Amino acid sequence: MLVLDLTVFHRGSHVIQFREAVGWSVFWIGLAAAFAVVVYFWRGRVPALDFTTGYLIEESLSVDNLFIFLLIFRYFKVLDEYQHKVLFWGIIGALVMRLAFVIAGVALIHRFHWIIYVFGAFVMYTGLRLFRSEEADVHPENNPVLKWVRKIMPVTPDYVNGKFFIRENGLCATPLLLVLVMVETTDVLFATDSIPAVLAITRDPFIVFTSNVFAILGLRSLYFALAGMMELFHFLHYGLAVILTFIGLKMLLSNYYPLPTHVALAVVGGVLTLSVVASLVFPNKEKEVGGS
């Protein structure tokens, strides 16, 4: 699907319009739903519920991550027609990194069972921290990987037709490569939250990885569909904080009170629905006044 996306559907750089983004978002969500049905008939009800819950957690966390991508694109002044390309290659890197995280996480839990408490405490800490920090800040100038890239390779002052590299008195990077590096390194931080959260639902590496894959595949279209509406969902931030705190608590209590997957799914879905509905019913008046 990624190869088709790059070589057929989006061969040339262009601005992704809202209708196109919504159509692709529906497609990717439908594909995930179809895969859940396949898992149900192939491996049974519980793995299908595990996949659905993991996918819902990953998808909800990815919505919060979209705010960070928006800030990165604004900071580097990336043209709209180049954003899709950056997110595409960012997803390729994310899939590789997520696979490594899943394999390492499952292996650690099987070998050192007590590490599930470390993961649980970390996820719970992340959730509690989200309650206190409503606004996400991005500081590319402090990113060590970005500093390293700038040291080893000259960077052109302008974007050059959406290319990552050009030959100009030797090999040079364009600012678009710096944006990609920023997106990739930021995704590593995202994975430290999301992978342990899904490991609280299941320790089956196949389910953990595929739930991540389907959430990541729809990330680009979801970004373009929600880019203009992100500020509407101002309560979503707190909903994600509740979900992460709940998942962390579930991990900490897993040996004493294992919570059924369908209960976890109901809690995650209910919190997400409430936070979205509350955002629409009680709009953020401060941002409305500031925008006007």
Side-chain angles (χ1 to χ4, degrees):
M1 287 308 305
L2 285 173
V3 171
L4 282 174
D5 193 8
L6 183 67
T7 59
V8 179
F9 302 123
H10 297 99
R11 290 187 64 180
S13 296
H14 68 285
V15 178
I16 307 296
Q17 301 297 334
F18 177 76
R19 177 179 288 185
E20 180 184 357
V22 170
W24 276 107
S25 296
V26 171
F27 170 77
W28 288 116
I29 293 171
L31 199 63
F35 186 78
V37 174
V38 171
V39 172
Y40 176 82
F41 287 105
W42 174 28
R43 303 185 64 176
R45 175 177 173 273
V46 173
L49 277 176
D50 289 342
F51 170 82
T52 304
T53 307
Y55 172 77
L56 194 57
I57 290 172
E58 291 295 333
E59 193 77 352
S60 59
L61 289 174
S62 69
V63 171
D64 200 40
N65 299 344
L66 298 182
F67 287 89
I68 307 298
F69 292 152
L70 183 63
L71 291 174
I72 292 173
F73 288 147
R74 284 178 178 174
Y75 180 90
F76 285 98
K77 296 181 174 61
V78 181
L79 297 176
D80 292 343
E81 55 264 34
Y82 299 152
Q83 293 178 7
H84 181 274
K85 182 177 181 179
V86 172
L87 291 176
F88 175 88
W89 289 108
I91 284 171
I92 296 293
L95 292 176
V96 176
M97 286 189 288
R98 296 298 175 97
L99 179 59
F101 269 82
V102 170
I103 293 173
V106 172
L108 284 170
I109 289 175
H110 281 301
R111 185 160 186 177
F112 308 104
H113 183 72
W114 52 265
I115 206 165
I116 192 74
Y117 301 116
V118 177
F119 285 164
F122 178 76
V123 172
M124 197 169 180
Y125 166 75
T126 304
L128 294 173
R129 191 180 60 186
L130 274 177
F131 278 113
R132 293 188 308 228
S133 60
E134 185 174 354
E135 298 294 333
D137 294 323
V138 176
H139 300 287
E141 66 278 3
N142 298 329
N143 187 303
V145 180
L146 216 57
K147 291 179 180 178
W148 178 73
V149 171
R150 281 180 164 143
K151 281 184 180 180
I152 66 170
M153 186 176 293
V155 180
T156 62
D158 303 313
Y159 295 102
V160 185
N161 298 323
K163 295 179 180 179
F164 292 119
F165 299 97
I166 64 166
R167 289 202 171 273
E168 188 178 273
N169 299 323
L171 190 64
C172 296
T174 72
L176 204 63
L177 179 68
L178 301 184
V179 178
L180 178 61
V181 169
M182 190 69 189
V183 168
E184 292 285 13
T185 52
T186 304
D187 185 71
V188 173
L189 301 178
F190 295 161
T192 58
D193 293 336
S194 62
I195 298 297
V198 182
L199 286 173
I201 304 301
T202 177
R203 296 171 197 175
D204 182 344
F206 174 75
I207 298 297
V208 176
F209 184 59
T210 51
S211 62
N212 265 266
V213 166
F214 278 97
I216 292 172
L217 286 176
L219 190 61
R220 288 160 304 142
S221 53
L222 199 62
Y223 168 80
F224 291 107
L226 297 179
M229 302 187 298
M230 288 181 187
E231 293 185 354
L232 288 177
F233 306 117
H234 57 103
F235 281 119
L236 182 61
H237 184 84
Y238 297 106
L240 296 176
V242 172
I243 290 172
L244 284 176
T245 305
F246 165 73
I247 293 298
L249 189 61
K250 181 182 183 300
M251 296 179 85
L252 293 175
L253 299 177
S254 58
N255 281 340
Y256 307 100
Y257 185 73
L259 198 66
T261 304
H262 66 272
V263 176
L265 178 59
V267 171
V268 172
V271 171
L272 278 177
T273 303
L274 284 174
S275 60
V276 170
V277 170
S279 298
L280 297 176
V281 174
F282 304 102
N284 193 335
K285 294 183 179 180
E286 291 183 4
K287 291 197 173 179
E288 285 183 354
V289 172
S292 61

